[in-house]
Amino acid sequence: MAEYYWDNQIEYLRNTRWLYYNDDYLEFLVERVWRIKQAVHMIDYGCGFGYMGLKLLPLLPVGSRYTGLDQGSELIKHAKELFAHTSYQAEFIECDIETVQVERAYDIAISHAFLLHMSEPRMILEKMIGSVVDGGRVICFEPHWIANMSSYVLSGIEQSSFMQLGVLQKLYEQDASRSGKDGNIGMKIPAMLSQLGVRGVECRVSDRVNFLDQHMAEQDKHTLYNAFIEEGLGAMPDNRNEINAQLMERGLTAEEANNQYEAEVSFAKTFNENEYMTYAPNMKITSGIVNR
């Protein structure tokens, strides 16, 4: 069996997920937007190491349960180890989500930064809808990459010098057309859910804005800077020829690919721990109710 890519990305996932949300905003969603007043059984598609379970279970009514589905054996192993140190009711199932059959037994089905990696995200949404009881809720936390790319400010630097939004939009759209995997899916999910019969659909945006402040505590600054780099913000790109070849395979012209490479190099050379930078991930949070 081929090695599962995300099994080797556990440290990256652990070091960067916190960039997306403030805890009080998740609490606001649970209590004021979704109005979850009774214990629920939640199923997480592409759960990874159970990140969303760890974030949401403390906010949900006592007695709530969590089931995580993921293909990664190491991710599932790590999730079980993490949850063993909690009192939460949780189970984890290693499976291929594209083929697994899930019974209609859950109150909430969620995904987090998962559908963008699926070649047939609509099919996964259908599975999510099919797994919740009547009156259950589907919640998708998914990105809109081009909004993400437009949401950096490196103090004193014109953004256009290191972020080619037009080229990136072309790249993302051609990726989606070729493979079905869509980094801009977050803004498309409201329409997709409505078309699949989900009602009361609404979309929010993650609240967190990360600010690398030269007056913050040194350890906090170091942690945030390293998280930015792991997230790919200001990281030095690899070999020019290899990167350019990959970009051209994805649909850019030779000139566009080289300009994109130069922009990433410029960003990497400019950005360091002693700069001011503001970054908003802009995750889109779409939810709706399944009424059959």
Side-chain angles (χ1 to χ4, degrees):
M1 180 179 292
E3 190 174 39
Y4 185 57
Y5 172 81
W6 291 102
D7 269 341
N8 295 315
Q9 301 298 315
I10 293 175
E11 282 306 305
Y12 156 73
L13 295 172
R14 287 183 62 114
N15 292 340
T16 59
R17 302 302 87 173
W18 63 274
L19 293 171
Y20 298 163
Y21 317 99
N22 289 308
D23 289 346
D24 57 358
Y25 186 64
L26 292 175
E27 183 178 13
F28 167 75
L29 292 174
V30 169
E31 295 185 359
R32 301 291 298 276
V33 178
W34 304 327
R35 298 181 183 277
I36 302 172
K37 305 299 183 183
Q38 298 179 333
V40 293
H41 191 177
M42 175 172 54
I43 184 168
D44 187 355
Y45 286 74
C47 67
F49 62 83
Y51 170 76
M52 289 310 296
L54 292 169
K55 299 302 289 185
L56 293 175
L57 282 170
L59 307 175
L60 292 170
V62 174
S64 293
R65 295 178 288 158
Y66 175 77
T67 296
L69 307 179
D70 204 283
Q71 185 177 339
S73 58
E74 291 300 316
L75 285 164
I76 293 293
K77 177 183 176 182
H78 189 54
K80 290 179 178 178
E81 291 171 351
L82 288 173
F83 276 78
H85 298 287
T86 75
S87 60
Y88 302 124
Q89 299 181 62
E91 67 171 338
F92 295 91
I93 301 170
E94 182 183 341
C95 62
D96 182 343
I97 292 175
E98 292 183 315
T99 60
V100 68
Q101 298 298 313
V102 182
E103 62 180 333
R104 183 176 296 171
Y106 301 92
D107 302 295
I108 299 174
I110 69 173
S111 73
H112 182 268
F114 175 69
L115 295 177
L116 78 158
H117 299 297
M118 294 290 99
S119 58
E120 296 186 56
R122 187 181 182 92
M123 182 264 286
I124 303 299
L125 284 173
E126 290 173 342
K127 280 181 176 283
M128 294 174 69
I129 292 166
S131 67
V132 299
V133 298
D134 287 358
R137 183 179 292 273
V138 175
I139 306 172
C140 301
F141 300 77
E142 298 287 341
H144 182 220
W145 273 353
I146 199 62
N148 175 292
M149 293 296 106
S150 68
S151 294
Y152 309 119
V153 170
L154 189 56
S155 183
I157 307 296
E158 293 292 338
Q159 190 191 36
S160 59
S161 68
F162 62 86
M163 197 64 65
Q164 301 186 97
L165 294 177
V167 168
L168 290 171
Q169 183 76 345
K170 173 184 175 180
L171 192 66
Y172 301 153
E173 289 174 351
Q174 293 194 2
D175 282 345
S177 178
R178 184 181 65 256
S179 69
K181 300 177 181 179
D182 189 353
N184 287 329
I185 196 169
M187 288 287 276
K188 301 174 183 178
I189 288 175
M192 294 171 74
L193 286 179
S194 182
Q195 291 161 2
L196 290 170
V198 176
R199 296 296 174 253
V201 175
E202 62 175 339
C203 187
R204 300 260 174 165
V205 64
S206 59
D207 69 314
R208 190 177 182 99
V209 180
N210 301 283
F211 176 42
L212 185 66
D213 184 358
Q214 293 310 305
H215 297 289
M216 68 198 305
E218 284 299 318
Q219 184 56 52
D220 292 341
K221 184 172 71 168
H222 183 69
T223 299
L224 180 56
Y225 173 77
N226 285 336
F228 281 164
I229 294 297
E230 287 204 61
E231 190 76 343
L233 315 182
M236 183 63 72
D238 294 328
N239 180 272
R240 177 190 298 267
N241 291 336
E242 292 179 4
I243 296 296
N244 285 2
Q246 292 170 5
L247 290 171
M248 290 168 66
E249 286 177 4
R250 293 169 62 190
L252 297 189
T253 66
E255 181 179 6
E256 287 172 335
N258 192 62
N259 288 343
Q260 177 60 27
Y261 184 88
E262 288 293 339
E264 293 182 20
V265 169
S266 175
F267 191 0
K269 287 182 176 179
T270 303
F271 183 44
N272 61 70
E273 195 166 338
N274 298 313
E275 298 288 340
Y276 287 89
M277 192 169 89
T278 311
Y279 163 56
N282 283 299
M283 292 286 282
K284 302 305 183 287
I285 308 166
T286 304
S287 69
I289 302 297
V290 177
N291 288 317
R292 298 181 177 86

